[in-house]
Amino acid sequence: VMLVGLRRLSRLSAAARPLTDRRWVAAADGVAAGFSLRGPVALRQTNLATTLGTWGWRRPCVLLPSQCESWSDDRMDIVLGHELAHIRRGDWALQMAADLVRAGFWYNPLFWLACARLRRESEAACDDAVLEAGVPAADYASHLLEIARTCRPPSPLATLVPMARRSTLEWRIAAMLNHT
């Protein structure tokens, strides 16, 4: 299943066009510099309105939906902050390694729980990175909710690290709005 997902993701990425909009490139460069990222990050715009996520290890790629050029500067900064935080942390490679281990120990429910917890903590860490960059929690929560309504990867792209999974959205918003 992972190999099929990786192949589909690779095809989707290859079919996506490089995003060369000056606003996006400047914003990505600014966020990358703030995170001290050491290499180039490809921004690619897909033809799908539902795809938003990060994948890749040596040559990381942020896949953006077809309507991303119409997004406000605030949403653009939030999405880039979240996705580039995944890249800085190396989340995609770590999650793929965890999924490989889980495949070997598929019969043990602890590995399934550990992989789910890893994804959850990864999302929380990236949410924290965006909030630490100065984005107000209420603004981030409203953008995240709107993104979850429109951008969710289809199940064959399970190897993509999506920004907003509906299954984790409630606790993420509750955590970011909880000041304690």
Side-chain angles (χ1 to χ4, degrees):
V1 172
M2 265 181 75
L3 291 176
V4 170
L6 285 171
R7 183 174 170 100
R8 288 182 178 169
L9 187 55
S10 179
R11 284 184 183 168
L12 176 66
S13 185
R17 67 177 180 82
L19 188 58
T20 56
D21 183 299
R22 287 188 179 133
R23 281 181 352 141
W24 278 91
V25 172
D29 289 345
V31 173
F35 284 156
S36 301
L37 288 178
R38 284 180 257 152
V41 175
L43 299 178
R44 301 191 66 82
Q45 187 175 15
T46 68
N47 292 330
L48 303 173
T50 58
T51 301
L52 173 61
T54 300
W55 82 289
W57 174 48
R58 290 189 153 190
R59 289 178 277 155
C61 178
V62 177
L63 293 176
L64 296 159
S66 57
Q67 76 276 13
C68 71
E69 289 178 312
S70 66
W71 287 353
S72 68
D73 289 346
D74 289 342
R75 179 165 299 170
M76 186 174 54
D77 289 339
I78 286 170
V79 167
L80 287 172
H82 184 91
E83 297 304 330
L84 295 183
H86 277 300
I87 292 170
R88 179 186 66 185
R89 293 171 34 85
D91 285 340
W92 185 82
L94 182 63
Q95 289 176 8
M96 290 300 102
D99 285 347
L100 282 173
V101 171
R102 183 184 65 192
F105 295 96
W106 61 267
Y107 52 87
N108 188 336
L110 292 178
F111 284 93
W112 289 85
L113 293 172
C115 285
R117 185 62 184 239
L118 178 66
R119 286 188 189 273
R120 179 178 174 161
E121 293 301 324
S122 168
E123 291 303 318
C126 292
D127 290 342
D128 289 345
V130 172
L131 295 173
E132 288 170 6
V135 175
D139 292 349
Y140 185 43
S142 67
H143 282 287
L144 188 62
L145 186 58
E146 183 58 34
I147 288 167
R149 285 185 184 136
T150 59
C151 299
R152 55 190 184 278
S155 59
L157 298 178
T159 54
L160 183 70
V161 178
M163 182 170 173
R165 285 181 193 266
R166 288 185 179 200
S167 61
T168 62
L169 193 60
E170 182 179 354
W171 70 261
R172 286 175 64 193
I173 290 174
M176 70 181 68
L177 295 177
N178 184 352
H179 297 292
T180 61

